[in-house]
Amino acid sequence: MKTEEEKDKLLIRWLEGDLTAEESSIFENTPEFKDYQKIVSETEHLPYPQMDTKIAFANITKKISKTDSKASTPTKIVTLRRTIMAIAAVGILLVSFLFLFSDSPTIYTNVGQYVSHILPDGSKVVLNGNSAIDYRPDFTEERRMHLEGEAFFNVQEGSTFRVKTNLGSITVLGTSFNVFSRDEILVVACKTGKVQVESGTHSIVLSKGESIRIDNQKFQGRVFQNPNRIGTWQSGDSYFSSARLEEVILSLSGNYDVTIDLPPTLKSRRFTGSFVHNDLKKALNMVLSPMGISYKMEGQHKVVFTD
Amino acid sequence: MHKNNKELKFKTNYEAWAQALFRFIYFKSKDKQLAQDIVQDSFVKYWDKMESIEEGKEKSYLYTTAKNLLYNIIAHQNVVQKHEANQLQKTENIDPHFKLEESEFKLKLESAIENLPDKQREVFLMHRIDGYKYKEIAKLLELSQKAVEKRMALALKQLRTTISNI
């Protein structure tokens, strides 16, 4: 039996996502664990007040330009937007330049497409809409690639196979798993075998049916779901098990050419269910109606919330 | 510093920290409007001082400034009454979706968090909501990391006891 002090230490490090696999299993077997897990996961979904950062920023600019005009330079913030746009434009040029002239094979999909691709080692990757992978010509020597968006992998056994995303990396030997990496959200779900996920300084090993969500490099609790449900989007049906609505909407905009500006208060609500990929109206109805969220289409490509 | 660089840096830092700073002050004051005013004033001060703040010290500058602004205000008025008024208002303003969704557990948890000692609540929420590491919290609150960890463990144990006792 662990002493109180040792338990405290485990608790403290568990909260920071710092336990080794062995320590995790010790900690997960303490009688307190389930309570702590529930407290932590529910805490994140309490309705804390938010500041409207846009309005606050406008107020700040007003105050700043007042004090600055007293000093000397009058038009300060007006140019801000233009500067950012210029920088963004240069960034886009640079990225597309790198894209066009590097010799890495790049596979990508447009919104609403899927592409199935066999990698040089025989592993299979299926890309969901608006996603891309690229890997080096020497892939068979070192199995690694970069992913943006969402993809399902079925990996041939062999040397280490690594998928990097902007938010973390996933390492496996031979297994199948799904990676969703859009905006600040990374979700990795393991369908068979074992998968190692790393983000920032943390690392976690997932077994069959387990998935982990990483939000801004912060590990959320491990979730178990039916492995048969993992990667179902390949057959035209995206399935979710108490996923944050934010994630569902991001996923939806990978399958449809649509802009959905989800109000911040709705982002953390939970959705369990699925949506189809071949009918936008139906898909929206499948997600939003059961949650009692009222919305309407503005033109063909925009959803607005009417509450 | 070149003007455009300064603006870009300002905007980037604002976007990175404004919401967290808001919650930081809100957790202390429980007053939404006050917290928003303090965030605005802190960033205005930050703008004026930007050239003289060392690289990497910006965040603690903002937190210290916000904290001082709050303490000045608390020193000048009796905020206790205001808190009570705000607390009432807060329950009335909860988004109807949340009202429906709020399970019994969530309600229990919310009141258990409200009832934590200030020092524990502050650390607990900074860690769980804003995603700060113990080390960062220690720096921002000018405490030792050990002290932060201790408050965190106490907070979790306290929450567990309160919830199972209700």
Side-chain angles (χ1 to χ4, degrees):
Chain A
M1 198 60 239
K2 292 263 146 197
T3 68
E4 276 307 302
E5 202 181 324
E6 282 169 321
K7 273 196 204 163
D8 280 6
K9 276 191 185 146
L10 286 177
L11 168 64
I12 286 165
R13 292 187 32 234
W14 170 71
L15 287 163
E16 201 116 292
D18 254 355
L19 293 184
T20 63
E22 197 185 338
E23 288 169 329
S24 287
S25 68
I26 296 174
F27 185 67
E28 285 169 18
N29 280 321
T30 60
E32 298 91 344
F33 172 71
K34 283 239 150 63
D35 292 343
Y36 288 146
Q37 195 183 32
K38 194 156 186 217
I39 289 169
V40 163
S41 72
E42 292 291 333
T43 299
E44 275 153 31
H45 305 117
L46 290 177
Y48 294 110
Q50 290 219 331
M51 177 176 70
D52 188 325
T53 48
K54 279 196 188 123
I55 291 177
F57 192 73
N59 291 339
I60 291 169
T61 14
K62 250 186 257 160
K63 283 189 191 171
I64 288 176
S65 58
K66 243 187 235 162
T67 54
D68 278 1
S69 63
K70 267 187 239 152
S72 63
T73 44
T75 53
K76 203 120 225 185
I77 297 299
V78 187
T79 53
L80 189 58
R81 182 167 296 186
R82 200 177 295 162
T83 318
I84 291 170
M85 275 169 67
I87 289 171
V90 171
I92 288 165
L93 273 177
L94 198 66
V95 167
S96 24
F97 191 86
L98 290 174
F99 231 71
L100 286 173
F101 293 96
S102 66
D103 55 358
S104 318
T106 299
I107 321 294
Y108 68 91
T109 52
N110 293 320
V111 170
Q113 284 184 322
Y114 322 127
V115 162
S116 170
H117 177 76
I118 304 289
L119 294 160
D121 68 333
S123 297
K124 185 178 156 194
V125 48
V126 187
L127 280 182
N128 203 344
N130 192 22
S131 305
I133 52 164
D134 57 320
Y135 55 89
R136 299 242 213 110
D138 62 357
F139 182 80
T140 38
E141 280 157 47
E142 198 182 351
R143 301 199 294 175
R144 58 174 182 180
M145 69 176 64
H146 188 88
L147 164 73
E148 263 169 60
E150 181 170 17
F152 184 84
F153 294 88
N154 202 333
V155 177
Q156 290 286 324
E157 284 197 25
S159 63
T160 307
F161 184 102
R162 186 178 285 252
V163 180
K164 288 203 160 185
T165 72
N166 293 335
L167 305 166
S169 70
I170 300 98
T171 313
V172 300
L173 293 170
T175 175
S176 61
F177 60 100
N178 194 69
V179 182
F180 176 100
S181 167
R182 298 186 195 273
D183 275 13
E184 296 296 310
I185 302 175
L186 171 64
V187 184
V188 180
C190 176
K191 195 178 172 90
T192 60
K194 281 197 190 289
V195 172
Q196 183 175 29
V197 184
E198 286 165 83
S199 179
T201 54
H202 302 309
S203 148
I204 190 171
V205 175
L206 299 178
S207 308
K208 183 176 173 178
E210 286 182 328
S211 67
I212 184 98
R213 187 187 132 85
I214 297 156
D215 210 337
N216 270 317
Q217 300 211 332
K218 213 170 87 188
F219 279 64
Q220 314 293 336
R222 204 190 287 241
V223 179
F224 186 82
Q225 66 183 100
N226 183 344
N228 295 335
R229 299 280 202 187
I230 295 173
T232 51
W233 55 263
Q234 296 167 86
S235 48
D237 225 343
S238 286
Y239 176 84
F240 299 88
S241 169
S242 85
R244 280 165 65 101
L245 190 55
E246 186 183 14
E247 181 189 325
V248 180
I249 295 300
L250 275 173
S251 185
L252 203 101
S253 29
N255 297 111
Y256 294 102
D257 180 12
V258 64
T259 312
I260 304 172
D261 203 1
L262 195 65
T265 46
L266 298 179
K267 284 186 177 168
S268 59
R269 294 193 56 197
R270 296 280 163 168
F271 174 73
T272 297
S274 64
F275 68 76
V276 292
H277 292 188
N278 56 2
D279 184 339
L280 175 59
K281 276 199 183 125
K282 211 165 155 188
L284 287 169
N285 196 23
M286 288 169 89
V287 176
L288 297 172
S289 302
M291 303 186 81
I293 298 171
S294 16
Y295 65 97
K296 64 171 199 264
M297 293 291 295
E298 228 177 57
Q300 293 291 308
H301 304 289
K302 192 164 185 229
V303 175
V304 290
F305 293 86
T306 46
D307 250 358
Chain B
M1 209 183 308
H2 189 274
K3 203 178 86 189
N4 286 347
N5 284 344
K6 182 178 174 182
E7 282 162 4
L8 188 63
K9 188 172 171 193
F10 182 79
K11 180 103 202 241
T12 314
N13 286 341
Y14 176 78
E15 276 169 3
W17 301 326
Q19 198 67 258
L21 195 62
F22 168 77
R23 280 192 296 258
F24 176 73
I25 296 301
Y26 176 79
F27 294 148
K28 284 182 167 296
S29 68
K30 306 254 189 67
D31 183 331
K32 208 173 153 179
Q33 189 54 49
L34 178 69
Q36 182 165 333
D37 291 345
I38 286 179
V39 171
Q40 290 172 13
D41 290 348
S42 307
F43 273 95
V44 172
K45 278 187 193 290
Y46 169 59
W47 172 266
D48 293 337
K49 289 273 155 60
M50 262 176 94
E51 282 87 351
S52 59
I53 300 169
E54 254 178 81
E55 193 78 35
K57 294 263 161 82
E58 293 97 340
K59 203 151 111 186
S60 22
Y61 174 83
L62 281 165
Y63 274 79
T64 314
T65 307
K67 224 163 39 174
N68 289 340
L69 286 171
L70 177 67
Y71 291 156
N72 288 342
I73 289 168
I74 291 177
H76 280 102
Q77 66 189 61
N78 184 359
V79 276
V80 179
Q81 280 173 336
K82 230 179 148 210
H83 277 180
E84 282 161 3
N86 266 296
Q87 212 108 68
L88 277 176
Q89 209 188 355
K90 202 182 124 207
T91 38
E92 282 162 9
N93 284 348
I94 294 174
D95 188 305
H97 292 308
F98 284 123
K99 237 180 202 163
L100 287 175
E101 258 209 344
E102 255 172 2
S103 61
E104 212 187 334
F105 182 84
K106 276 191 176 166
L107 287 172
K108 277 184 194 170
L109 178 63
E110 208 177 357
S111 82
I113 294 175
E114 294 275 338
N115 289 323
L116 282 177
D118 283 355
K119 288 175 176 175
Q120 288 176 24
R121 185 178 52 239
E122 174 179 81
V123 168
F124 175 77
L125 293 171
M126 282 175 89
H127 194 272
R128 298 322 305 171
I129 304 299
D130 296 324
Y132 287 120
K133 304 266 161 212
Y134 301 134
K135 209 172 157 184
E136 293 169 305
I137 298 173
K139 216 167 128 192
L140 293 171
L141 299 181
E142 292 164 13
L143 291 167
S144 71
Q145 183 170 336
K146 268 262 161 330
V148 172
E149 289 174 0
K150 200 167 169 200
R151 286 182 190 180
M152 191 66 188
L154 283 173
L156 258 294
K157 288 194 209 169
Q158 180 62 47
L159 289 176
R160 181 169 174 263
T161 325
T162 316
I163 288 169
S164 45
N165 279 347
I166 296 176

